[in-house]
Amino acid sequence: MKYKDINFDENALILFDGECMFCNKTIQFILNNDKKERFLFAALQSEIGQYVREWHFGDKPVPDSIILVDKQGVHLKSTAVLRIFKHCESTSFLSHSTGWMPTSIRNLFYDTFAKKRYAIFGKSDTCMLPAPDVRKRFFM
């Protein structure tokens, strides 16, 4: 599957840091809670990750952030996280409980955590290899 083949009326694409151990665990959590299989995944470091970043941002600097592309557009940082959790069965309460908070404050928390994620959770030299039953949802 190629980026242009994604049906954004039914699916959304999550770009994540494939080297971040916390990010990899979060993707596993999303897989376990995305019963409708709405989400597709690609590492920011992958070919499609680079393509999507160039397609949507051109030469503008792109924050080192989770990126969600859905039918409403491109979402970064805490907004991406809230939109993802809204569609996960066991986490939809998070989007309701923190959605009222101004984006600038949510992103302050996001950025603070993002700066420390490697120190706390570690970094992998390679991207995770998805299990065979979910591999079809990943762009490699």
Side-chain angles (χ1 to χ4, degrees):
M1 179 185 300
K2 297 185 186 218
Y3 181 69
K4 64 182 176 90
D5 297 328
I6 298 173
N7 178 354
F8 285 107
D9 286 331
E10 296 177 14
N11 295 107
L13 176 64
I14 298 172
L15 298 177
F16 65 98
D17 182 348
E19 297 173 345
C20 170
M21 297 304 290
F22 175 78
C23 302
N24 285 320
K25 293 290 185 189
T26 302
I27 296 303
Q28 291 298 323
F29 178 83
I30 294 168
L31 282 167
N32 291 333
N33 288 279
D34 179 24
K35 303 302 182 198
K36 295 181 180 175
E37 298 187 358
R38 171 180 164 76
F39 295 111
L40 303 172
F41 305 91
L44 289 164
Q45 297 86 350
S46 70
E47 189 176 313
I48 192 166
Q50 294 301 315
Y51 173 81
V52 170
R53 290 166 75 165
E54 288 173 16
W55 175 264
H56 289 287
F57 298 98
D59 292 337
K60 292 185 277 184
V62 182
D64 183 22
S65 163
I66 189 169
I67 299 174
L68 174 70
V69 184
D70 64 14
K71 66 181 175 183
Q72 279 81 34
V74 179
H75 313 280
L76 303 171
K77 299 184 179 190
S78 66
T79 302
V81 171
L82 289 179
R83 291 181 73 84
I84 291 165
F85 284 169
K86 179 179 164 188
H87 294 285
C88 289
E89 289 188 5
S90 65
T91 58
S92 62
F93 73 92
L94 285 173
S95 61
H96 297 296
S97 62
T98 57
W100 60 269
M101 197 180 298
T103 304
S104 59
I105 294 173
R106 289 193 328 254
N107 283 342
L108 179 65
F109 287 110
Y110 180 95
D111 291 338
T112 301
F113 179 80
K115 287 178 189 171
K116 300 177 189 284
R117 71 186 190 271
Y118 292 143
I120 297 169
F121 296 96
K123 186 175 180 178
S124 174
D125 293 336
T126 59
C127 294
M128 74 172 188
L129 183 61
D133 60 325
V134 295
R135 202 165 286 157
K136 67 180 186 242
R137 296 173 61 193
F138 282 80
F139 291 90
M140 307 290 238

